[in-house]
Amino acid sequence: MKSLTAILLAVALVAAFTFVSGCTGTGTGDVTQLRIGYQPSTHQVSHTTAMEKGWWQEDLEPLGITQVTDYEFGTGAPEMQAMLAGDLDIAFVGAAPFVAAVSSGLDAKIVAAVQTQGSDLVLRTEVPYSTPADLVGKKIATFPPGTIQDTILRTWLQENGVDPASVEIIAMDPGAATTAISAGQVDGVFLPHPSPAIIAAEGTGRTVVKSGEMMKDHACCVMVASGSLIRDHPEIVEQVVKTHVRATEYNLEHPDEAASIYAGKTGQNVETVKASFRDWDGTWTADPHVITTSVVEYTELQYELGYISNPLTEDDLFDFSFYDKARA
């Protein structure tokens, strides 16, 4: 299996062109710009809500932040490459690509959870399914090696007696994968929401297994802060976590408004987004304590898959202090 370090380096040029020149980085001096990475998924609607309602700017302005800029990524690998390059201060990203990036030298910590579960295995309407063995010889598109979806899919196949090599697992971002299943180019996809809801709305596929059935209560997206921001500007990290908690709680209380905000930012159909909220098996949560065991387990799974050289520990990955202060 190709090392994840090589995979991250392969997307470096893509990540480099994502950013405009002259972005303000973090360091020992004043910080006036905060750069946030995210993916267009209903997993990460706390960022969308905080961004579109102006809460990031409003809450961080007293700390000297005059500009909050967000950058969209299709999957976690290029997002983590951008963070490795020093181009992001905060990232909403899957726990598994974060683990891989830390193994490759990323200086950052998980400071809050974002959500758990929330991905579906979707097969084309005409493709039969009763057990995982039915996937042998099929083409399944999912996120690249080292991501949550790739890690869970391969582990689930192995646990059910199916050699992952007997399934043609194709790396794609959600847009390309959704197009591929609609065009009949793949037999199925394993993607985070809202992609399963989009495919269902188009009538080209149906969910056969939810990710919580593959790995119960698994961690998915997390909020990551760069090591330099944590060390040099802990007050900013503390406020970022407080704003994330605020947005998470708001979305839980106002899901229809959260759907409208998300649809407006991404251009997706609001009714499909609402269906995604209803149908997924995910849960939004900011509490990092509830995902600790699952994230550490990812390090063991990625080691077994050959993606990282050694399993990592809770101390390697988490800084709970900011969430604990936010909830105090």
Side-chain angles (χ1 to χ4, degrees):
M1 181 63 65
K2 187 184 296 184
S3 75
L4 203 68
T5 301
I7 293 168
L8 287 169
L9 290 175
V11 298
L13 290 177
V14 176
F17 285 104
T18 304
F19 300 91
V20 295
S21 61
C23 286
T24 303
T26 59
T28 56
D30 292 338
V31 174
T32 59
Q33 181 185 11
L34 193 74
R35 302 160 302 171
I36 302 176
Y38 78 103
Q39 295 163 46
S41 164
T42 50
H43 291 197
Q44 301 179 10
V45 290
S46 67
H47 165 66
T48 307
T49 295
M51 192 72 182
E52 298 308 293
K53 291 181 81 70
W55 291 348
W56 291 130
Q57 191 70 55
E58 172 188 309
D59 293 348
L60 292 167
E61 191 170 12
L63 300 176
I65 299 296
T66 59
Q67 183 179 2
V68 178
T69 308
D70 63 359
Y71 300 93
E72 181 180 305
F73 296 84
T75 66
E79 185 175 3
M80 288 296 89
Q81 181 58 46
M83 203 164 207
L84 277 160
D87 292 325
L88 293 176
D89 307 303
I90 298 292
F92 286 78
V93 68
F98 169 71
V99 164
V102 170
S103 181
S104 298
L106 177 65
D107 175 22
K109 298 283 188 180
I110 296 170
V111 293
V114 174
Q115 50 72 236
T116 60
Q117 305 188 156
S119 298
D120 291 3
L121 175 62
V122 179
L123 296 182
R124 288 203 328 266
T125 306
E126 66 273 19
V127 175
Y129 178 84
S130 58
T131 71
D134 294 330
L135 299 179
V136 172
K138 300 294 191 296
K139 293 182 180 180
I140 305 297
T142 193
F143 281 17
T147 58
I148 292 283
Q149 288 72 26
D150 174 84
T151 300
I152 290 177
L153 178 60
R154 291 178 186 274
T155 301
W156 174 72
L157 289 170
Q158 289 178 335
E159 290 176 344
N160 283 275
V162 177
D163 182 354
S166 69
V167 181
E168 188 175 352
I169 300 174
I170 305 169
M172 289 187 184
D173 67 29
T178 300
T179 299
I181 191 173
S182 297
Q185 297 169 345
V186 297
D187 299 297
V189 300
F190 182 49
L191 298 173
H193 271 266
S195 296
I198 292 170
I199 294 167
E202 292 175 348
T204 54
R206 86 285 189 197
T207 292
V208 295
V209 183
K210 294 179 181 291
S211 64
E213 299 173 71
M214 297 177 171
M215 188 179 292
K216 184 174 173 55
D217 297 327
H218 69 84
C220 196
C221 292
V222 294
M223 175 189 276
V224 173
S226 71
S228 59
L229 194 68
I230 288 171
R231 289 186 297 272
D232 300 331
H233 299 282
E235 73 286 355
I236 292 177
V237 179
E238 184 176 349
Q239 184 55 64
V240 165
V241 172
K242 286 180 179 178
T243 302
H244 168 54
V245 170
R246 176 188 182 189
T248 299
E249 293 178 345
Y250 189 87
N251 289 338
L252 288 167
E253 294 173 2
H254 306 89
D256 285 350
E257 183 181 353
S260 296
I261 292 171
Y262 175 84
K265 183 172 178 64
T266 62
Q268 294 173 7
N269 180 279
V270 67
E271 295 305 319
T272 301
V273 176
K274 289 179 180 179
S276 174
F277 288 0
R278 291 194 303 269
D279 297 342
W280 78 329
D281 68 347
T283 301
W284 299 315
T285 177
D287 186 352
H289 297 283
V290 303
I291 63 168
T292 308
T293 299
S294 179
V295 174
V296 173
E297 183 183 5
Y298 284 143
T299 79
E300 298 163 358
L301 296 175
Q302 291 195 355
Y303 173 69
E304 292 170 3
L305 289 167
Y307 291 165
I308 63 175
S309 57
N310 291 292
L312 302 173
T313 68
E314 178 181 312
D315 288 342
D316 293 327
L317 302 169
F318 286 89
D319 185 334
F320 300 104
S321 64
F322 298 102
Y323 177 80
D324 292 342
K325 289 177 183 176
R327 303 304 290 174

